[in-house]
Amino acid sequence: MGKLNSKIPEGPLATKWTKYKASVKLVNPANKKKLEIIVIGTGLSGAGASSALGELGYSVKTFCYQDSPRRAHSVAAQGGINAAKNYQNDGDSTFRLFYDMIKGGDFRAREANVYRAAEVSNEVIDHYTALGVPFARDYGGTLDTRSFGGVQVSRTFYSKGQTGQQCLLGAYSSLNRQIKKGNVTMFPRREMLDIVLIDGKARGIIVRNLLTGEIERHSAHAVVLATGGYGTIYYLSTLAVNSNASAAWKAHKKGALFANPSFIQIHPTCVPQLNEFQAKLTLMSESLRNDGRVWVPKTKGDIRPANEIPEEERDYFLERRYPTFGNLVPRDVASRAAKERCDAGFGIGETGLAVNLDFRDSIKKQGKDIIESKYGNLFDMYKTITGIDSYIEPMRIYPAGHYTMGGLWVDYELMTTIPGLYAIGEANFSDHGANRLGAASLMQTSGDGYFILPNTISNYLADEIRVPKISTDKPEFEETEKAVLERLNKFISIKGKQTAASFHKRLGKIMWDYCGMVRNEEGLKKALVLIKELKDEFWRDLNVPGEFSELNQELEKAGRVADYFELSELLVNDALDRKESCGAHFREEYQTADGEALRNDEEFAYVAAWEYAGEGKPHILHKEELTFNEVEMKVRSYK
């Protein structure tokens, strides 16, 4: 495959994007109408890309597996969206946002992409405001902001505790406008089952209509994956149950490199698991740590109700360990600190796997009305799930699988190693390094969709204007559809006794136990053995009732779980190969004397981009060396 070409423009960091836009190849308006683009996914990156590309005049075909584009998982984001507006006049800037993201990602991200994400963040806020997103405002009418983990400025714009929902509704309205104008054709309830390559270029997809089971072929001059992350590999996660990795994994098996798969974020503030029958966990926004204080009893096994434990017998362990940032340390740091306290016997609740998130002091100081205005829907949601009124007693929280910083490798133009195939939003690896800072996901996904991809994709499409509409009768479509049908029939023909969900649950426990918040060589090697045994059992004893030519949700699950078995092996091997601790990837063998992550910059300051070598063959590692010209790589400290 040769050396990876990240296509980073020459020149100073602050001018790279401006110079790129000034020199990129363009497609004139008349030619745009002749070019077709497929966009898969309708979250903030997918809906943003579809509406922006439609507005530019391209012919766009957009797909989602939900019944409506507005049900994409971006709807679940709660706390906010970052931008370097500096409305608070507290010293924020594009460079400071860039630096916080680079540092927060533990110096494992590409400088040029991160700076560009910070650069377009202000445009994202202006755009959403113009779309009518009801961001909170201060008494003077200016958009309000709050703090988030890993930063010392207030740059997070928010809409109570439902920012993702409000932004997605704005994106959905801009998408609908393009659908009505005829620039975007919407295909709901479709699942992408494979990419079609013609002469090495992405030229279409094979999808299954989830209502009828019909297999469909769709062609285009370029394909954009906006399909989110793979956090549900843990089974219990904060993601929607149907969130999956299959589209990205199919692209990977067709030649798109998969980067940093082991970089998975564990979110520190989630509702703890309540029973053995749950299919997912629920996120409590990081924004709550602005006003909530995290603590455990100072005495092991203290079972008194939280409100009966006096102040002097409480251990505010984040404030104690990290006095500079306190409760607003980054997510990886907060998660490991909570796990350490619980493992040491200081956890609360029936399982001992929880810590307190207490709003007593903030309510005393600010009043219940103010706290309710900031987080009311989160408090309501928590009470619905647990029965606890958090205005009166603390929330109980514990870390859970959340966001994936790894994803398909993309260059500066957001193109994968397959020409004409792009990956945007959480589906790519490019902006968050080894740990994502809170409220940077909505910023990055929206920036990719609305402001970056529409500029970069023309550099490729300018050379495609003489390519006529691609026929789906070509042999490449025929062969890809045949392979898809064989796989679907294989699932149905096993006729075993166990459901796909039961295998997913067991796989998730292996991944959580051995490749979750902390990892070590012995555990990772054991995980590989356990995954292979379970995968073999899956292909022997899976039960999928019904046929593929009908509504069949068990078949949908089977395909996604089969892909997770393969991805989990790559994920664990990536974690084994990276003999250092950085961000969310914490190897117990590599830590400082006080238990913090210990990087190895001499050997591992690179992006691990893995190439699929074929069924049963080990993946091939390609390294994109990371160079830092604007920031100095140093020990990440929040103390």
Side-chain angles (χ1 to χ4, degrees):
M1 186 155 293
K3 186 179 179 182
L4 292 170
N5 180 10
S6 56
K7 299 181 188 173
I8 297 170
E10 297 293 326
L13 190 63
T15 62
K16 287 183 188 295
W17 181 230
T18 301
K19 286 186 175 180
Y20 175 88
K21 289 188 291 182
S23 61
V24 71
K25 295 176 187 174
L26 300 178
V27 180
N28 80 44
N31 283 332
K32 283 174 183 165
K33 293 182 174 66
K34 304 173 188 174
L35 293 169
E36 293 185 317
I37 303 171
I38 284 172
V39 179
I40 303 163
T42 56
L44 292 183
S45 61
S50 294
S51 56
L53 294 168
E55 182 73 34
L56 287 170
Y58 293 106
S59 176
V60 182
K61 293 185 276 192
T62 304
F63 297 79
C64 70
Y65 58 68
Q66 298 92 347
D67 60 347
S68 165
R70 71 181 181 276
R71 294 192 188 277
H73 186 62
S74 297
V75 77
Q78 297 170 354
I81 176 170
N82 288 337
K85 285 287 192 182
N86 195 31
Y87 284 160
Q88 299 279 357
N89 197 29
D90 55 1
D92 202 7
S93 65
T94 297
F95 184 86
R96 195 176 292 276
L97 172 52
F98 152 75
Y99 179 78
D100 285 342
M101 288 180 68
I102 285 284
K103 176 186 174 185
D106 220 351
F107 303 93
R108 291 295 177 263
R110 191 191 287 155
E111 271 192 341
N113 287 59
V114 177
Y115 192 90
R116 180 178 61 182
E119 199 174 347
V120 304
S121 66
N122 291 339
E123 296 176 83
V124 169
I125 294 300
D126 292 342
H127 185 66
Y128 279 141
T129 303
L131 289 176
V133 173
F135 290 123
R137 295 179 181 267
D138 66 15
Y139 65 95
T142 305
L143 295 184
D144 200 9
T145 54
R146 57 189 177 201
S147 297
F148 251 66
V151 304
Q152 290 181 301
V153 296
S154 182
R155 67 162 67 102
T156 303
F157 296 79
Y158 64 98
S159 184
K160 221 168 187 178
Q162 49 187 234
T163 315
Q165 180 184 34
Q166 297 303 326
C167 288
L168 187 62
L169 289 173
Y172 175 61
S173 69
S174 65
L175 175 61
N176 269 346
R177 181 170 180 270
Q178 295 306 315
I179 293 171
K180 187 175 182 181
K181 290 178 71 174
N183 296 331
V184 176
T185 304
M186 188 68 224
F187 296 89
R189 301 297 288 158
R190 305 300 204 283
E191 182 162 34
M192 191 203 96
L193 297 182
D194 213 343
I195 298 271
V196 179
L197 304 185
I198 299 177
D199 297 327
K201 295 182 176 181
R203 293 302 197 193
I205 57 174
I206 305 296
V207 303
R208 180 171 174 268
N209 183 319
L210 298 181
L211 295 179
T212 66
E214 181 184 357
I215 303 300
E216 301 172 0
R217 305 175 184 181
H218 296 275
S219 66
H221 294 87
V223 177
V224 180
L225 297 184
T227 51
Y230 48 94
T232 46
I233 201 162
Y234 291 122
Y235 184 71
L236 287 177
S237 79
T238 65
L239 277 69
V241 172
N242 280 331
S243 295
N244 65 86
S246 288
W249 193 250
K250 295 299 191 298
H252 172 59
K253 293 180 78 170
K254 281 292 178 75
L257 300 195
F258 208 104
N260 297 338
S262 64
F263 288 171
I264 300 188
Q265 181 167 84
I266 310 298
H267 200 293
T269 51
C270 301
V271 180
Q273 184 178 355
L274 301 174
N275 57 57
E276 288 294 313
F277 309 104
Q278 286 178 241
K280 76 177 299 293
L281 297 172
T282 304
L283 174 69
M284 288 287 109
S285 170
E286 179 175 296
S287 63
L288 293 167
R289 288 195 278 142
N290 270 288
D291 291 300
R293 301 178 71 191
V294 181
W295 65 274
V296 292
K298 287 183 177 179
T299 305
K300 287 185 182 182
D302 191 334
I303 60 172
R304 288 178 292 173
N307 289 340
E308 293 180 14
I309 299 177
E311 184 72 11
E312 62 273 12
E313 295 180 36
R314 300 180 176 197
D315 176 16
Y316 295 93
F317 57 90
L318 292 180
E319 298 169 36
R320 169 173 56 80
R321 290 179 60 174
Y322 308 100
T324 302
F325 282 76
N327 293 296
L328 285 175
V329 291
R331 294 172 176 180
D332 60 320
V333 177
S335 293
R336 286 195 295 272
K339 182 180 189 300
E340 184 276 327
R341 287 290 80 193
C342 291
D343 289 351
F346 296 93
I348 63 168
E350 294 76 17
T351 63
L353 296 177
V355 299
N356 289 307
L357 181 59
D358 197 339
F359 296 88
R360 181 193 65 179
D361 294 342
S362 293
I363 290 172
K364 275 184 185 176
K365 185 176 180 180
Q366 302 175 43
K368 180 183 175 183
D369 290 348
I370 297 297
I371 298 300
E372 188 174 6
S373 70
K374 295 179 184 178
Y375 317 111
N377 66 299
L378 298 172
F379 278 60
D380 292 343
M381 186 163 62
Y382 186 83
K383 186 175 183 181
T384 299
I385 294 168
T386 66
I388 294 173
D389 184 346
S390 303
Y391 296 108
I392 298 172
E393 56 182 296
M395 288 182 180
R396 291 178 177 180
I397 57 168
Y398 194 70
H402 182 54
Y403 189 93
T404 48
M405 287 75 66
L408 293 177
W409 185 91
V410 293
D411 59 24
Y412 188 74
E413 297 182 335
L414 304 183
M415 190 191 288
T416 69
T417 45
I418 297 175
L421 178 66
Y422 293 80
I424 60 176
E426 194 180 354
N428 73 35
F429 85 99
S430 72
D431 290 15
H432 305 296
N435 174 64
R436 176 174 68 77
L437 291 183
S441 60
L442 302 190
M443 179 194 87
Q444 179 238 335
T445 55
S446 303
D448 280 3
Y450 277 116
F451 296 106
I452 299 172
L453 179 77
N455 281 289
T456 64
I457 200 169
S458 67
N459 210 36
Y460 174 78
L461 291 176
D463 295 327
E464 300 293 315
I465 57 175
R466 292 177 182 82
V467 177
K469 182 180 171 69
I470 295 144
S471 169
T472 57
D473 292 329
K474 286 181 176 288
E476 291 86 350
F477 278 90
E478 187 78 36
E479 291 162 14
T480 307
E481 182 179 320
K482 182 182 176 184
V484 163
L485 289 172
E486 285 176 359
R487 190 168 189 261
L488 294 176
N489 281 316
K490 187 177 180 182
F491 289 130
I492 291 168
S493 65
I494 296 172
K495 304 295 183 187
K497 296 179 181 178
Q498 300 181 66
T499 65
S502 69
F503 283 106
H504 189 184
K505 189 173 184 178
R506 290 162 66 191
L507 174 64
K509 180 159 176 52
I510 294 170
M511 295 302 294
W512 182 254
D513 288 348
Y514 301 109
C515 200
M517 263 186 284
V518 295
R519 296 114 185 238
N520 59 56
E521 185 171 355
E522 181 186 359
L524 291 168
K525 287 181 175 177
K526 183 175 181 181
L528 286 175
V529 173
L530 295 173
I531 291 167
K532 186 182 184 309
E533 290 174 352
L534 189 60
K535 183 170 75 168
D536 291 345
E537 186 182 341
F538 172 87
W539 287 109
R540 285 195 316 269
D541 201 29
L542 173 70
N543 180 266
V544 176
E547 303 296 331
F548 75 81
S549 55
E550 62 185 356
L551 191 154
N552 191 336
Q553 291 185 306
E554 288 302 307
L555 180 61
E556 295 169 37
K557 293 175 188 174
R560 295 165 188 172
V561 175
D563 292 332
Y564 269 145
F565 274 117
E566 296 179 1
L567 173 56
S568 65
E569 290 177 311
L570 177 61
L571 197 160
V572 173
N573 275 310
D574 184 51
L576 259 175
D577 191 71
R578 189 170 284 275
K579 294 178 172 60
E580 66 165 351
S581 290
C582 58
H585 170 66
F586 192 84
R587 287 278 297 265
E588 288 180 320
E589 307 97 317
Y590 309 105
Q591 56 181 296
T592 62
D594 54 355
E596 302 298 327
L598 183 63
R599 292 197 324 267
N600 180 348
D601 294 333
E602 288 187 12
E603 296 183 75
F604 294 99
Y606 62 76
V607 175
W610 296 90
E611 178 188 353
Y612 180 72
E615 197 74 38
K617 297 179 182 178
H619 275 69
I620 300 166
L621 174 62
H622 300 263
K623 298 177 182 180
E624 180 195 346
E625 302 296 334
L626 293 169
T627 56
F628 296 91
N629 300 314
E630 300 292 331
V631 298
E632 178 190 352
M633 279 196 290
K634 50 189 177 184
V635 176
R636 190 174 61 132
S637 174
Y638 294 93
K639 295 188 174 184

